[in-house]
Amino acid sequence: MSIRLTLLCGGAGPTVRAARFDDGPLDERGVREARAAADRIPAASVCVRAPSLRCQQTAEALGLTAVAEKAVRDLDVGTWRGRTLAEVAADEPEALACWTTDPEAAPHGGESVRQLCLRAGLWMDGLPQDAGRVLALTEPAVVRAAVVHALAAPVSAFWRIDVPPLATISLTRRSGRWNMRLSPSDTER
């Protein structure tokens, strides 16, 4: 029996567009984009979401009923919460550089990238074998962490994965091993 896990990144709003370490609502454009993406979201027998307002509103815009799941919550950025990336870069450039190069670092007092990757991996590996198709609506950091885990990539690869709003990635698990599954191009459908 296999599991197909589709990870869907939440939509965009003012906090995302400002590169702010925070949760926030979708804006009108984000809601429109989510509604437009609804037809490309695969059916799932289990649908979970991060507990953030952003993911809740994305699920609503997509017409999904998704249960909040703490394991797929965003990376805890501690004292940086509410600040923009530009503010942190200006005020704490060494700390930011350390955080983006050392997977063990958590200069903000929150969670390290390694801790997030372990949390995501434990959740993925804990999915029941008979889960079937699972859709997880979550944050970009969790999508990155899941890909790192699935591919058994070094945690340093985390920052090399770009995850735009509403991006999806499919992972399959067979015989205890995760694989990444790319979608066919529109010309192949």
Side-chain angles (χ1 to χ4, degrees):
M1 181 149 289
S2 66
I3 298 171
R4 177 162 302 166
L5 171 61
T6 300
L7 296 154
L8 167 63
C9 184
T15 56
V16 171
R17 297 186 206 295
R20 185 173 301 280
F21 294 110
D22 210 350
D23 184 19
L26 299 184
D27 54 19
E28 287 182 34
R29 178 177 155 198
V31 171
R32 262 193 330 273
E33 291 169 346
R35 285 183 180 147
D39 64 338
R40 69 175 172 82
I41 306 304
S45 51
V46 176
C47 188
V48 299
R49 65 169 175 81
S52 65
L53 175 62
R54 178 172 101 100
C55 287
Q56 175 189 343
Q57 290 182 345
T58 301
E60 291 167 359
L62 290 166
L64 297 172
T65 301
V67 176
E69 170 59 60
K70 285 179 61 172
V72 297
R73 71 189 179 280
D74 202 1
L75 175 73
D76 177 2
V77 292
T79 60
W80 292 353
R81 185 175 172 96
R83 299 173 68 193
T84 65
L85 181 60
E87 290 168 347
V88 173
D91 296 344
E92 302 179 51
E94 297 85 14
L96 184 62
C98 180
W99 183 57
T100 58
T101 57
D102 179 0
E104 302 287 343
H108 43 61
E111 205 172 16
S112 72
V113 168
R114 182 171 309 280
Q115 288 170 321
L116 171 64
C117 290
L118 288 171
R119 172 167 49 93
L122 285 170
W123 175 75
M124 291 167 61
D125 292 346
L127 290 170
Q129 281 300 100
D130 62 351
R133 293 177 179 262
V134 178
L135 175 65
L137 174 54
T138 189
E139 309 292 343
V142 177
V143 175
R144 286 186 194 104
V147 170
V148 165
H149 177 73
L151 299 179
V155 179
S156 59
F158 178 89
W159 295 111
R160 307 284 311 247
I161 303 166
D162 292 330
V163 185
L166 301 171
T168 61
I169 184 93
S170 292
L171 305 171
T172 57
R173 184 174 178 201
R174 285 188 196 95
S175 304
R177 188 177 92 187
W178 287 99
N179 294 299
M180 187 168 66
R181 179 182 173 95
L182 300 176
S183 298
S185 70
D186 288 337
T187 59
E188 294 173 359
R189 291 184 190 182

